[in-house]
Amino acid sequence: MMHVDRYEQIWIRLSVFVLIAFILAVLTASVSAGIQVPGVVQRVDPNTVTEPGSPWAEPGLRELAPGKYEAYILAQIWVFTPDEIRVPAGSEVTFYVTSKDVQHGFKILDTNINMMVIPGQVSKLTARFDEPGTYTMVCHEYCGVGHHTMYGRIVVEPTQAAAE
Ligand code: CUA
């Protein structure tokens, strides 16, 4: 049998233990905080992405079912189209965001939405808006001199039941 020094054995066990602890920490954080990793959903041609037939030709909110929406957002220097979306509280919104020109970012404050927006690629994430209020969406990837002016908002309106 191969001889492993006692101290080396201790260090090997310790390294394995640390790895397992890290994996558990990542799993716990992702499940309890609802972290979603944005993946590549779809590829598009940034040159034709706003032509008729493309969902970004008329970007905006579409209702799929009561309380369920999808939002197509077009990013370009230095604006999001649309730059305002209104949904009732308790809504679940899936965002499909793409860029017409350069790389942008898409982050909605106080939600789990935080992704890069790359021309040629569609970024997708889903968020639930339970609390009425205004949620700011910002571009958080530097995209030129007007980068700091690139923002919009999600207005979550109180539902009838909550307003009464
Ligand atoms: Cu778009 Cu920064």
Side-chain angles (χ1 to χ4, degrees), residues 114-141:
N114 181 344
M115 52 196 184
M116 281 170 99
V117 181
I118 297 166
Q121 192 166 302
V122 179
S123 303
K124 174 192 173 191
L125 275 182
T126 301
R128 241 187 101 84
F129 296 92
D130 284 325
E131 288 294 317
T134 300
Y135 297 75
T136 306
M137 53 185 186
V138 296
C139 175
H140 64 328
E141 296 277 346

Side-chain angles (χ1 to χ4, degrees), residues 52-164:
S54 158
W56 291 272
E58 286 169 50
L61 196 68
R62 329 236 202 275
E63 188 171 9
L64 300 176
K68 260 189 174 289
Y69 297 87
E70 55 185 17
Y72 283 84
I73 310 257
L74 183 71
Q76 66 189 98
I77 48 170
W78 291 284
V79 66
F80 290 115
T81 313
D83 64 358
E84 185 180 305
I85 280 177
R86 292 181 167 264
V87 290
S91 297
E92 194 180 275
V93 185
T94 300
F95 293 89
Y96 295 86
V97 192
T98 193
S99 167
K100 220 176 114 164
D101 40 43
V102 299
Q103 176 179 311
H104 298 278
F106 187 73
K107 179 177 169 67
I108 305 176
L109 305 186
D110 301 323
T111 71
N112 58 351
I113 303 283
N114 181 344
M115 52 196 184
M116 281 170 99
V117 181
I118 297 166
Q121 192 166 302
V122 179
S123 303
K124 174 192 173 191
L125 275 182
T126 301
R128 241 187 101 84
F129 296 92
D130 284 325
E131 288 294 317
T134 300
Y135 297 75
T136 306
M137 53 185 186
V138 296
C139 175
H140 64 328
E141 296 277 346
Y142 183 72
C143 55
V145 291
H147 161 69
H148 62 286
T149 65
M150 189 166 171
Y151 64 93
R153 55 190 200 153
I154 317 283
V155 181
V156 179
E157 292 164 330
T159 52
Q160 210 62 29
E164 276 162 8

